[in-house]
Amino acid sequence: MAEPAPETDAQGAKSPFVKVPIEVTISVGCARPTVQELLQLAQDSVLPLDKKIDDPVELYVGGQLIARGELEELTGDSQGQLAVRLTEVADLKSGL
């Protein structure tokens, strides 16, 4: 398991930003329908994506790719909830 990120900046000072929540967007694929196909969509329509069910998903923060992973379903109290098991993570500390 990865160690938690330090709460100090490169100079050793306490950083106020480490506890700021951010939104992570998970991309499971893209669809490229024509305008005509888009206008024909209705409830129960199926929109095919450019990925297969076992392909990795991509994690983005502010449009920047930060990691890849695999979708999985949680068990226990959170049964049925989706989660992502990370398989690749960018070196985020060097960019901060």
Side-chain angles (χ1 to χ4, degrees):
M1 178 172 254
E3 293 186 28
E7 293 187 16
T8 57
D9 63 17
Q11 290 75 35
K14 198 100 159 131
S15 174
F17 299 108
V18 294
K19 295 192 180 199
V20 174
I22 59 170
E23 184 171 300
V24 177
T25 302
I26 313 300
S27 175
V28 297
C30 292
R32 291 180 181 82
T34 64
V35 172
Q36 180 179 2
E37 292 167 333
L38 191 63
L39 293 172
Q40 293 173 347
L41 292 177
Q43 186 172 344
D44 293 327
S45 294
V46 175
L47 186 62
L49 301 177
D50 63 349
K51 302 271 185 145
K52 299 205 182 312
I53 195 78
D54 293 328
D55 285 348
V57 296
E58 297 174 332
L59 288 75
Y60 292 90
V61 172
Q64 180 69 40
L65 177 64
I66 62 159
R68 288 188 178 90
E70 301 169 346
L71 287 178
E72 62 179 57
E73 182 180 348
L74 296 180
T75 58
D77 292 341
S78 300
Q79 186 171 356
Q81 184 175 351
L82 282 176
V84 177
R85 180 173 304 278
L86 301 181
T87 56
E88 298 177 53
V89 179
D91 182 8
L92 302 175
K93 292 177 191 162
S94 67
L96 295 178

